[in-house]
Amino acid sequence: QMHLVESGGGVVQPGGSLRLSCAASGFSLKNYGVHWVRQAPGKGLEWVAFIRFDGSKTDYGDSVEGRFTISRDNSKNMLSLQLSSLRPEDTAMYYCATDLYNWNAFEVWGQGTMVTVS
Amino acid sequence: DIQMTQTPSSLPASVGDRVTITCRASQSISRFLSWYQQIPGKAPKFLIYGASSLQSGVPSRFRGGGSGTEFTLTISSLQPEDFATYYCQQSYSSPWTFGPGTKVEIK
């Protein structure tokens, strides 16, 4: 069965940095594009970033462009999201999710990792 | 950016009810529309893509429809495990945007 597991969340001061990881089990992540989606406490879902299966293309939401960087290491079956210049409004649960090919939809989700900027 | 809206924001219902949620896009998105279910404290679950294609393993009581700017999610006979918040999401153009959610709650 396909599973994703996020890690690396925590409490960080405004202006600080954090690196989130997303690891796959039960399947090879190298065959999938991967998104990050976040959810502020009590709020809705917001798409954050995307990386193509081979790392050749990345895309970011307007609110994180220039501050967050998505990358992947297919040899380790995992990927990362580097968060920099963090703001209180970046406080959220961060989920990684596989991309449903050709549909830009979010198929398999991890359980999330919480980031608090305070 | 494409804006997504959902109505209603809250939907009181009972087990066995037929419920319908409407999602509208600020411009035509053809059939590039997905639906997700989220139970409090859990990650979202992928239900439907391409406006009406059911993801593997999703019960057939869930049905999606629509195209262009107006879409619907219908649950034909609400089950106890269906009380949750439902989000639509457009995958027509980046940035990929979600609706604000519809909470289906116990009447």
Side-chain angles (χ1 to χ4, degrees):
Chain A
Q1 200 162 8
M2 298 171 66
H3 287 289
L4 294 173
V5 178
E6 302 91 338
S7 60
V11 180
V12 61
Q13 292 183 343
S17 298
L18 211 56
R19 190 175 186 88
L20 307 183
S21 296
C22 173
S25 64
F27 70 107
S28 179
L29 198 56
K30 69 179 181 181
N31 299 319
Y32 293 85
V34 177
H35 299 268
W36 287 91
V37 176
R38 69 184 180 181
Q39 186 170 35
K43 302 298 184 182
L45 301 168
E46 179 187 12
W47 172 75
V48 173
F50 167 76
I51 187 165
R52 199 165 177 258
F53 71 97
D54 58 0
S56 63
K57 175 185 174 180
T58 60
D59 192 14
Y60 298 92
D62 296 341
S63 62
V64 308
E65 179 89 57
R67 300 188 299 122
F68 291 7
T69 303
I70 191 170
S71 61
R72 67 190 301 156
D73 185 345
N74 284 340
S75 67
K76 296 181 179 178
N77 213 29
M78 63 189 302
L79 61 89
S80 299
L81 184 68
Q82 178 71 39
L83 285 58
S84 302
S85 303
L86 282 163
R87 306 165 180 168
E89 55 265 36
D90 295 318
T91 294
M93 183 71 77
Y94 284 74
Y95 299 98
C96 61
T98 59
D99 178 64
L100 183 69
Y101 187 70
N102 280 343
W103 286 106
N104 291 304
F106 314 113
E107 185 179 11
V108 176
W109 295 66
Q111 86 291 345
T113 187
M114 185 68 198
V115 173
T116 302
V117 184
S118 176
Chain B
D1 298 2
I2 296 175
Q3 309 301 318
M4 307 299 293
T5 59
Q6 288 181 236
T7 54
S9 57
S10 175
L11 183 51
S14 301
V15 172
D17 284 354
R18 177 186 178 92
V19 300
T20 297
I21 299 166
T22 299
C23 173
R24 291 184 175 88
S26 59
Q27 66 182 74
S28 177
I29 57 171
S30 185
R31 295 179 61 81
F32 289 91
L33 192 285
S34 299
W35 289 96
Y36 303 85
Q37 175 195 63
Q38 188 176 32
I39 292 168
K42 300 291 187 181
K45 176 185 175 183
F46 185 42
L47 297 177
I48 287 169
Y49 65 98
S52 61
S53 296
L54 214 59
Q55 174 67 349
S56 175
V58 174
S60 58
R61 63 180 179 273
F62 290 90
R63 183 168 185 149
S67 65
T69 61
E70 187 160 326
F71 302 85
T72 57
L73 173 68
T74 298
I75 308 172
S76 59
S77 178
L78 204 62
Q79 298 302 300
E81 60 269 29
D82 299 337
F83 290 98
T85 299
Y86 293 85
Y87 295 92
C88 61
Q89 174 246 330
Q90 65 83 17
S91 55
Y92 182 81
S93 69
S94 177
W96 320 116
T97 46
F98 292 88
T102 295
K103 185 175 182 180
V104 177
E105 52 192 7
I106 299 173
K107 184 185 289 183

